[in-house]
Structures are given as structure tokens and as C-alpha cells.
Amino acid sequence: MKSITFIIIAAILLAGCREEAPETLPDALLSNPNMELLEEVEILYSDSAALKVRVTGPVMHYFTEANDPRQEFPCGVIVHFLDRDQQVASILTAKYAIRRESIGTIIVRDSVVWQSVRKEHLTTDELTWDERRQKVFTDRFVVVTRPGEILYGRGFEANQDFSNLTMKAVEGRVVVDEEKNENQAENN
């Protein structure tokens, strides 16, 4: 993206992943003055005034250290990738994420799931989104499900809209005969 607009809309001070606001300042804030705790975060990425990506999370730790500014989402993250018409093209979810500002990457971990409006589905343990190259990739085991097939492999790379998908070290491919499966389901 030529120019990334980074907007954080949030309310400050939430301890961990608790539902209720803390009565006192969390220990993490007291021990690290370079960390801000934010609640109900929304980060918007745009290019030429067109919204491209929306990142949301219930809690964000914002580390303001000059040598390593970063945002951590310890309670999960949802990433909406938008198409040219600003409609959701795909959604990425994970239980944890960290964004490294200086290198422009977001790493999502733990129960990573990506789904597209084209009925494509990916699951893995870890996935990296390179904001500058507009690519997503991993060297971990992945399962990719598309209409008519399931792919298993180790290593994956695609554009951030998950087009031009490349899998490395494909370990298996299952071609699904959807018509046969539908007929079997009707007979049962």
C-alpha cells in the first residue's frame, strides 16, 4: 500500500482479557511505562483514500519503545480484507497477534483461520502478513479447503487477498466429488 493510514480508535485501560474494568492499574502498566492498554481496538489501513484492511481486537498492548514499537493482541484479533468496492473479501482470525511497526508485519498465532467469500478456507498455527509487500505466508503446516479439494502442506504464500496462492511441500491433496457427497447425504 502506497500510504497506510493507521488509526487506532480505543478506550484506555483494560487488564488482560477480563470482562470488567480493573479497580486499580494493572501490574503490567506499573512495571512498563512504555506500554498502553487499549480496549475495543480498530486499526484501519487505506490506500489512496480507499479502505483496504480493518483490524479489530478486544484488547491491545501498545508498546511505545523507540527501538521496537509494537502492538500486541493477547485476546485475539479479527482482520477484514476488503475488495475494490470496500466489501469484505476475506476474514482472518486468530487467538493472538503482534504487529511490528518498524518492519511492517503482523504475525497471527494460535487457531489461525482465514475464510474468503469464494468459499476458500485455510487453517494453520501461525501466519505472517507483510504489510509492505501485501503478502501472507507461513512455513508451518496448513490445510487449505476450496470447493472440490482439500490441500495439506507445509509452507504457504499468497497475496493479502489470498489470490495467487502457492503451497510449498504439498503433503496431500484430496479431490472432493461434491455431487457424489450430496447424493450420499440425500440417501442417508
Side-chain angles (χ1 to χ4, degrees):
M1 292 176 202
K2 294 177 186 170
S3 63
I4 295 177
T5 303
F6 180 70
I7 302 170
I8 299 178
I9 303 168
I12 299 178
L13 295 177
L14 177 77
C17 302
R18 288 189 241 166
E19 295 284 327
E20 299 174 14
E23 292 180 19
T24 60
L25 288 175
D27 291 339
L29 250 185
L30 295 174
S31 64
N32 188 350
N34 294 322
M35 183 180 74
E36 298 173 6
L37 288 162
L38 306 164
E39 176 184 71
E40 300 305 323
V41 177
E42 182 176 33
I43 302 172
L44 305 173
Y45 294 84
S46 65
D47 184 5
S48 304
L51 186 60
K52 299 291 185 182
V53 179
R54 186 173 64 120
V55 179
T56 59
V59 174
M60 184 178 84
H61 298 165
Y62 184 38
F63 296 90
T64 59
E65 293 129 358
N67 63 342
D68 187 22
R70 63 196 183 279
Q71 296 87 37
E72 180 180 36
F73 294 83
C75 299
V77 67
I78 300 172
V79 181
H80 292 89
F81 293 96
L82 307 177
D83 63 18
R84 289 184 185 137
D85 299 322
Q86 297 189 354
Q87 299 298 313
V88 174
S90 63
I91 299 173
L92 176 68
T93 60
K95 291 184 178 178
Y96 172 86
I98 188 162
R99 178 179 183 264
R100 299 281 182 182
E101 262 183 57
S102 59
I103 58 175
T105 60
I106 295 178
I107 299 170
V108 291
R109 293 185 182 120
D110 193 0
S111 304
V112 177
V113 176
W114 169 81
Q115 296 179 45
S116 79
V117 295
R118 297 181 307 252
K119 300 187 187 232
E120 298 167 303
H121 187 270
L122 171 133
T123 56
T124 187
D125 291 337
E126 181 176 289
L127 190 66
T128 301
W129 171 34
D130 185 322
E131 298 169 7
R132 293 179 181 136
R133 291 181 37 228
Q134 299 181 28
K135 298 279 186 183
V136 290
F137 57 90
T138 187
D139 61 354
R140 304 281 179 101
F141 180 77
V142 296
V143 177
V144 175
T145 305
R146 295 174 166 169
E149 70 180 347
I150 302 171
L151 301 168
Y152 301 92
R154 190 161 303 280
F156 166 89
E157 183 173 315
N159 293 337
Q160 72 183 18
D161 64 358
F162 286 81
S163 63
N164 297 323
L165 178 143
T166 303
M167 288 183 71
K168 303 167 189 158
V170 175
E171 295 176 3
R173 178 179 180 177
V174 178
V175 177
V176 179
D177 184 351
E178 292 188 24
E179 185 176 313
K180 183 178 177 181
N181 287 343
E182 288 174 9
N183 288 338
Q184 286 177 347
E186 288 175 7
N187 293 331
N188 292 331

